[in-house]
Amino acid sequence: MQKKVQPEERLTVVQADALNDDLVPIIQGADVVVNAYAPGWDDVTVLIKETTKLIDAVKSTGVNRLIHVGGAGTLNIEGSGRVIDQPWFPENWKGIAQAHVDAFEIIKNSTINWTVLTPPTYFEVGERTGKFRLGEDNLIFGPDGKAAISYADFAIALADEIETPKNIKKRFTLAY
């Protein structure tokens, strides 16, 4: 069962149809917009359309910053190229991974203040430890050879970045 984020002091939770709703009045006045949109498998290009529309809304409202949750396929493996280009990368995941690559390029080339937080290849249920390593463009492997983070620790890293921005116009990642 998936928990929904609950509004808190200084946190407004909004669910909208990013492709069909007018985003300007929805995000007007926000300090930061967090985009964790995941397209369905049937049309992954929706991610590119949604990202472009959100960037345009951020520009027109003057919202200070967009934080976008990226896809692990966009990360690099040191000395081996991008995760999406590895021979072991599952063929059935390539469409969604390429959509994340394209969305990342659109964000990087935009004029807004942005941050892309990209999870590692294993993004899973687990305890909040608060003990993880941060990086930029390369997939981080743990001592066990696995590139993993729990949803709970990912959420803490996201909240930390919102509260104390350290990655303006940069991508970052994390793993144990």
Side-chain angles (χ1 to χ4, degrees):
M1 183 165 153
Q2 192 174 19
K3 289 184 189 177
K4 294 196 178 218
V5 176
Q6 297 300 312
E8 303 265 343
E9 183 181 342
R10 299 180 51 217
L11 173 66
T12 303
V13 179
V14 177
Q15 183 174 343
D17 181 335
L19 288 176
N20 297 310
D21 292 345
D22 181 1
L23 299 178
V24 171
I26 295 170
I27 68 171
Q28 187 76 47
D31 295 323
V32 177
V33 172
V34 178
N35 179 27
Y37 177 76
W41 290 93
D42 53 332
D43 184 8
V44 296
T45 63
V46 172
L47 178 63
I48 291 109
K49 296 171 196 166
E50 180 270 346
T51 300
T52 302
K53 185 173 177 188
L54 192 53
I55 289 169
D56 290 343
V58 166
K59 276 188 216 172
S60 70
T61 59
V63 168
N64 188 45
R65 187 163 169 229
L66 171 66
I67 298 179
H68 176 86
V69 176
T74 67
L75 292 169
N76 297 311
I77 296 177
E78 197 165 336
S80 296
R82 294 181 307 185
V83 170
I84 188 177
D85 299 325
Q86 301 306 307
W88 49 262
F89 192 83
E91 192 64 37
N92 62 324
W93 282 81
K94 286 196 176 182
I96 199 162
Q98 186 61 52
H100 276 285
V101 167
D102 296 344
F104 181 48
E105 287 301 314
I106 290 166
I107 293 166
K108 277 194 325 187
N109 292 317
S110 73
T111 58
I112 65 169
N113 283 332
W114 58 270
T115 298
V116 173
L117 174 54
T118 305
T121 50
Y122 291 94
F123 193 26
E124 51 203 14
V125 174
E127 296 298 314
R128 175 183 166 192
T129 68
K131 297 177 183 174
F132 46 82
R133 295 172 295 142
L134 299 173
E136 290 184 5
D137 294 319
N138 290 330
L139 190 61
I140 301 170
F141 292 96
D144 61 356
K146 191 174 176 182
I149 196 70
S150 70
Y151 299 133
D153 279 332
F154 187 88
I156 291 307
L158 176 60
D160 288 347
E161 183 63 26
I162 292 168
E163 287 292 318
T164 310
K166 295 181 179 170
N167 294 287
I168 303 293
K169 295 198 176 197
K170 289 172 41 179
R171 179 215 344 229
F172 76 109
T173 189
L174 68 165
Y176 298 117

